[in-house]
Amino acid sequence: MNLTLKIWRQKNASDKGKMVEYKVTDISEHMSFLEMLDVLNEQLIAKGEEPVAFDHDCREGICGMCSLYINGEAHGPDRGVTTCQLHMRMFNDGDTIFIEPFRAKAFPVIKDLVVDRSAFDRIQQAGGYVSVNTSGNTQDANAIPINKENADKAFDAATCIGCGACVATCKNSSAMLFVGAKVSQYALLPQGQIEAVDRVKNMVAQMDLEGFGNCTNTGACEVECPKGISLENIARMNSEFLKASLKG
């Protein structure tokens, strides 16, 4: 298939940036979206032009690095997949595809389609951990009985890969689905109870400090999340935060 690509080009964080049009031809419908961008970059390099910078790592839908805003949707038109798992069969011959970086104040553009998502790392560092007894008396985690429903919900929350699609698709650039998932995976397990009060208060405080907005309650984050993280986790985070606040 032959395609017209309108791609956001920005030299660095201080550059104004603009959309630039490119043509690609003979693209196979079996290619992944990133493979299509690889083809474009090979053509640009052959012409002596600067290739398009975009983030990627595993290309298996696990790392969350390949975060692109495609035709107005985080990770593109497919559902339950990251950009690296998006295939060109989702598009038609002759299509014009708009490709942009994730837009959020807390995700500043580094170059072209690459954004700085270290704000997520700082939120995680604020409370996303559990205490470990290293005195030699550590209890085997598998020996602690856990209600299956809670275990399943904790595992579901833990599937969050921190890609930032929830932020990119939210009108307020809210990170509450991400933070809700990270809080939930610990709040539902006995191992997470030691830091429970400090965890939710510190992670929410850091989220606000990073400049993320509040939840819009529209549910777009869950729809475009490649792992289908449930809005239930936002409700659980709010509940945990209220309980923590009352405890002082």
Side-chain angles (χ1 to χ4, degrees):
M1 64 178 71
N2 301 326
L3 302 164
T4 298
L5 308 178
K6 292 184 180 292
I7 303 178
W8 183 260
R9 301 303 306 266
Q10 186 172 336
K11 293 180 180 179
N12 51 52
S14 58
D15 183 42
K16 185 177 181 180
K18 62 180 180 180
M19 299 295 288
V20 178
E21 183 176 305
Y22 299 98
K23 303 284 187 180
V24 288
T25 59
D26 300 323
I27 298 298
S28 169
E29 65 175 7
H30 303 299
M31 284 183 179
S32 72
F33 198 85
L34 296 190
E35 287 173 331
M36 181 274 294
L37 289 179
D38 290 337
V39 170
L40 171 65
N41 278 343
E42 288 173 0
Q43 294 175 358
L44 293 177
I45 293 170
K47 295 177 184 177
E49 298 179 23
E50 183 78 12
V52 177
F54 62 93
D55 239 339
H56 64 91
D57 190 4
C58 72
R59 298 202 179 200
E60 294 179 348
I62 299 171
C63 71
M65 295 289 287
C66 60
S67 302
L68 300 179
Y69 206 64
I70 303 165
N71 285 350
E73 297 180 273
H75 293 299
D78 208 350
R79 287 292 173 266
V81 299
T82 52
T83 300
C84 65
Q85 295 176 306
L86 177 67
H87 284 83
M88 297 312 297
R89 55 180 169 268
M90 296 297 297
F91 303 93
N92 299 311
D93 183 39
D95 276 358
T96 296
I97 304 175
F98 291 81
I99 310 170
E100 304 170 78
F102 280 3
R103 305 284 189 179
K105 177 183 177 182
F107 288 168
V109 174
I110 298 174
K111 181 177 182 180
D112 294 340
L113 304 174
V114 180
V115 299
D116 180 359
R117 285 172 294 170
S118 60
F120 272 9
D121 296 330
R122 291 187 289 273
I123 292 173
Q124 188 78 336
Q125 290 161 6
Y129 54 84
V130 296
S131 291
V132 178
N133 181 353
T134 58
S135 64
N137 298 317
T138 308
Q139 185 176 5
D140 186 349
N142 292 329
I144 303 174
I146 300 172
N147 178 283
K148 186 179 187 303
E149 182 180 358
N150 288 345
D152 288 345
K153 288 180 178 180
F155 272 116
D156 288 344
T159 61
C160 170
I161 57 176
C163 67
C166 51
V167 175
T169 196
C170 178
K171 292 177 288 187
N172 288 347
S173 297
S174 173
M176 291 187 74
L177 191 66
F178 166 77
V179 179
K182 298 306 176 184
V183 168
S184 289
Q185 72 180 77
Y186 297 113
L188 288 161
L189 300 176
Q191 295 92 335
Q193 300 312 307
I194 299 174
E195 293 90 3
V197 171
D198 290 337
R199 174 184 298 111
V200 67
K201 291 170 70 174
N202 291 342
M203 292 183 79
V204 169
Q206 189 64 41
M207 173 180 68
D208 293 340
L209 185 63
E210 296 292 344
F212 293 104
N214 204 356
C215 179
T216 63
N217 296 309
T218 58
C221 54
E222 180 180 338
V223 172
E224 296 196 19
C225 172
K227 299 303 177 181
I229 302 298
S230 173
L231 290 172
E232 178 183 308
N233 292 294
I234 296 178
R236 185 175 295 106
M237 177 189 68
N238 289 336
S239 174
E240 290 292 317
F241 185 78
L242 177 60
K243 287 190 294 184
S245 300
L246 293 174
K247 289 179 180 179

